[in-house]
């Protein structure tokens, strides 16, 4: 897809009402430091539309990015951030749950996991929760440029097994550096737009 326009349109905090859209939404979930902002920026060919930070746990809101006036990317708060207070984490969880249950135009949830590591308990919990809510998450294995080519297949297998993915479930390795995986992700988004 050629990106002509991409903008942060709505930011929803814990007490905000979720916006209602007619255009399809594509949500991005993942641990706090897994590279969600880098992925969103990479998909949109922008350097810093989605804020990246060296401090995990920065995204504490649900951010809606309007893309080409055709669809929305929805950046969900990162999970697994240990320094956040328990009650704050619970509120984030409820906020995400509320969004996933209420959005009538949500087409897909992309779950980001770090290709270098086995899925965490939080990754597995999130994966199972997305499945229980009627979605087939597409797993994006980020930080591809941080491992050797020879390790890719082994790490992909580790992720698929660790998450309990079915054979037909989709996992795409992605590199924010080289943009490997970008076209594949866009093809999936375009196939689900309508």
């Amino acid at each position: 897809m050629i990106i002509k326009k991409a903008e942060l349109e709505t930011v929803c905090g814990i007490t905000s009402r979720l916006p209602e859209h007619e255009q399809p939404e594509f949500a991005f979930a993942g641990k706090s430091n897994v590279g969600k902002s880098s992925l969103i920026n990479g998909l949109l060919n922008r350097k810093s539309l989605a804020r990246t930070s060296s401090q995990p746990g920065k995204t504490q809101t649900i951010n809606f990015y309007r893309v080409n006036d055709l669809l929305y990317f929805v950046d969900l708060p990162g999970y697994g951030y240990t320094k956040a207070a328990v009650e704050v984490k619970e509120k984030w969880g409820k906020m995400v749950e509320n969004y996933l249950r209420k959005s009538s135009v949500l087409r897909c949830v992309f779950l980001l996991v770090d290709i270098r590591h086995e899925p965490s308990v939080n990754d597995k919990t999130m994966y199972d929760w997305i499945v229980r809510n009627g979605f087939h998450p597409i797993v994006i294995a980020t930080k591809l440029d941080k491992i050797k080519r020879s390790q890719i297949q082994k790490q992909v297998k580790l992720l698929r097994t660790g998450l309990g993915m079915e054979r037909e479930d989709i996992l795409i390795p992605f590199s924010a550096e080289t943009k490997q995986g970008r076209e594949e992700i866009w093809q999936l988004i375009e196939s689900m737009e309508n």
Side-chain angles (χ1 to χ4, degrees):
M1 179 177 280
I2 296 162
I3 307 301
K4 295 181 177 144
K5 191 171 150 191
E7 60 191 355
L8 176 59
E9 186 179 273
T10 311
V11 175
C12 285
I14 289 164
T15 57
S16 307
R17 268 190 58 178
L18 291 166
E20 290 181 24
H21 299 129
E22 289 178 8
Q23 292 91 351
E25 294 173 349
F26 297 87
F28 296 85
K31 256 193 317 215
S32 291
N33 56 350
V34 76
K36 273 191 294 113
S37 299
S38 298
L39 171 71
I40 290 169
N41 287 330
L43 289 172
L44 298 176
N45 282 333
R46 296 292 192 274
K47 285 251 188 292
S48 57
L49 181 63
R51 296 268 183 248
T52 57
S53 169
S54 55
Q55 283 182 296
K58 269 294 193 218
T59 306
Q60 299 179 13
T61 52
I62 300 179
N63 298 332
F64 291 81
Y65 297 92
R66 190 177 175 100
V67 183
N68 285 353
D69 295 329
L70 293 173
L71 57 94
Y72 285 88
F73 279 0
V74 184
D75 185 7
L76 301 173
Y79 56 80
Y81 179 51
T82 50
K83 288 190 177 151
V86 174
E87 62 272 15
V88 172
K89 284 193 219 173
E90 281 174 11
K91 284 178 183 167
W92 290 352
K94 282 192 176 72
M95 187 166 68
V96 170
E97 189 171 341
N98 185 36
Y99 166 70
L100 291 176
R101 288 218 167 113
K102 286 192 174 165
S103 173
S104 59
V105 290
L106 178 58
R107 295 283 194 273
C108 176
V109 180
F110 291 97
L111 177 62
L112 281 65
V113 292
D114 189 328
I115 198 164
R116 299 171 299 177
H117 309 293
E118 221 175 308
S120 68
V121 172
N122 283 329
D123 290 330
K124 177 73 176 130
T125 301
M126 188 65 172
Y127 182 86
D128 292 344
W129 190 86
I130 295 167
V131 169
R132 268 198 318 277
N133 278 278
F135 291 96
H136 292 283
I138 291 172
V139 175
I140 299 178
T142 60
K143 306 187 190 266
L144 178 62
D145 43 277
K146 307 262 193 258
I147 64 169
K148 293 185 179 117
R149 272 188 149 343
S150 59
Q151 295 177 296
I152 295 171
Q153 284 313 107
K154 181 182 143 231
Q155 292 307 110
V156 163
K157 190 175 179 200
L158 188 74
L159 291 174
R160 292 185 78 89
T161 306
L163 291 170
M165 294 176 74
E166 301 290 330
R167 183 174 292 172
E168 68 276 6
D169 292 340
I170 300 168
L171 184 147
I172 303 170
F174 175 79
S175 164
E177 296 287 314
T178 67
K179 305 293 182 275
Q180 184 179 331
R182 181 182 188 275
E183 291 310 311
E184 213 177 327
I185 296 166
W186 266 118
Q187 282 170 3
L188 283 167
I189 290 171
E190 287 170 350
S191 73
M192 290 183 271
E193 253 184 286
N194 299 324

